[in-house]
Amino acid sequence: MSFDPEKLDAAFAFDPETVRELRESWGRLMVMVVWADLRSGTIGALPRLRKRMLEIGESLRSLLSDRKWIPRERERVKGAMAASLNLRDSLLQTDRAAKRVTEGQDFERFESEYLAFRHRLLTFIELHEQRWGELLESLYDGANEDEE
């Protein structure tokens, strides 16, 4: 049993413009969390936020990695789903860290940029998770048809 090759290719066809926007937005946020005037009343909040933002970048890079080297299509899709879950977890951890940053001259700009990035990232994740889920579901639907 295998996937429809066109659906498989479409599930991994990351829109280059969206990827570019996500990378650029993430880069701006990294610069902000390192160099902007952001403050928190919680000791260690900014270093934690920097670490979490870096994790988002690493997780996004992992999600976008080419998986064609994985010979079994099902494992390719499952690997992408796992990378997506890791990215979601990184985003959740970053949300928690960002909530502790509440002051500074650049706070409003950071908050606005972060929320826009978060929205674009979740939209991107959800689109591809839906496609991967449908692919996996099609395998089980095919298996059920064979049993009948």
Side-chain angles (χ1 to χ4, degrees):
M1 225 178 316
S2 66
F3 296 115
D4 175 338
E6 288 180 17
K7 287 184 180 178
L8 183 65
D9 288 344
F12 285 97
F14 302 118
D15 175 51
E17 183 64 20
T18 302
V19 171
R20 183 191 61 74
E21 288 173 3
L22 287 169
R23 287 179 62 181
E24 287 177 2
S25 183
W26 175 82
R28 285 190 305 273
L29 285 165
M30 279 303 301
V31 169
M32 275 193 241
V33 298
V34 172
W35 297 106
D37 180 24
L38 299 173
R39 292 184 226 129
S40 172
T42 305
I43 295 174
L46 285 167
R48 199 167 16 261
L49 178 58
R50 291 178 191 119
K51 178 182 176 186
R52 299 301 182 202
M53 282 302 305
L54 182 58
E55 287 173 0
I56 284 180
E58 291 171 340
S59 296
L60 179 58
R61 176 64 182 102
S62 174
L63 178 70
L64 296 170
S65 293
D66 184 8
R67 290 182 165 69
K68 288 184 180 178
W69 63 271
I70 301 172
R72 296 184 63 203
E73 296 167 340
R74 182 172 178 266
E75 298 307 315
R76 197 179 309 166
V77 174
K78 286 174 57 178
M81 290 289 279
S84 186
L85 289 174
N86 286 338
L87 180 53
R88 279 184 179 273
D89 184 56
S90 293
L91 185 60
L92 177 63
Q93 296 301 322
T94 305
D95 286 350
R96 290 178 179 157
K99 285 180 183 173
R100 298 194 181 281
V101 176
T102 57
E103 302 172 42
Q105 283 184 322
D106 299 314
F107 172 71
E108 286 182 21
R109 187 170 57 96
F110 166 74
E111 184 179 46
S112 174
E113 179 83 26
Y114 179 72
L115 291 174
F117 170 77
R118 185 182 188 286
H119 176 74
R120 280 192 303 270
L121 183 60
L122 283 172
T123 300
F124 176 79
I125 290 170
E126 289 166 3
L127 170 69
H128 289 282
E129 282 179 346
Q130 179 182 358
R131 290 176 180 174
W132 297 324
E134 288 170 358
L135 281 171
L136 291 174
E137 195 67 33
S138 72
L139 280 184
Y140 297 114
D141 288 346
N144 290 339
E145 289 171 9
D146 290 344
E147 291 173 5
E148 293 173 2

